[in-house]
Amino acid sequence: MAGKIVACPHCGTSIEWNQANRFRPFCSDRCKMIDLGAWATERYRVPVEDSDESALSAEDENPRLN
């Protein structure tokens, strides 16, 4: 049975999602490394919402210093 066909997140090339593709979800080592570099240089970011509950004082962050 053939695996599911997915698009490489970097270049969009159609690839089969299976155990034989050692770079999945990417099509190649090149696309995998380009994506890793984008995360490392903070080109990609996970959005964070500030809320009153998540704001910690310095005392809450490291109670051993008190």
Side-chain angles (χ1 to χ4, degrees):
M1 179 176 190
K4 182 179 178 180
I5 302 298
V6 298
C8 172
H10 178 70
C11 70
T13 299
S14 294
I15 56 169
E16 188 175 343
W17 184 272
N18 62 28
Q19 294 288 332
N21 179 2
R22 63 187 182 134
F23 306 113
R24 68 176 182 240
F26 303 97
C27 66
S28 65
D29 189 47
R30 178 181 180 273
C31 283
K32 180 178 81 169
M33 296 308 291
I34 290 170
D35 188 76
L36 178 61
W39 282 103
T41 60
E42 297 183 356
R43 199 171 73 205
Y44 299 152
R45 297 176 189 207
V46 177
V48 177
E49 286 186 29
D50 291 332
S51 69
D52 293 337
E53 293 177 18
S54 67
L56 298 174
S57 68
E59 296 164 359
D60 293 337
E61 290 178 8
N62 197 346
R64 293 184 198 174
L65 295 177
N66 296 330

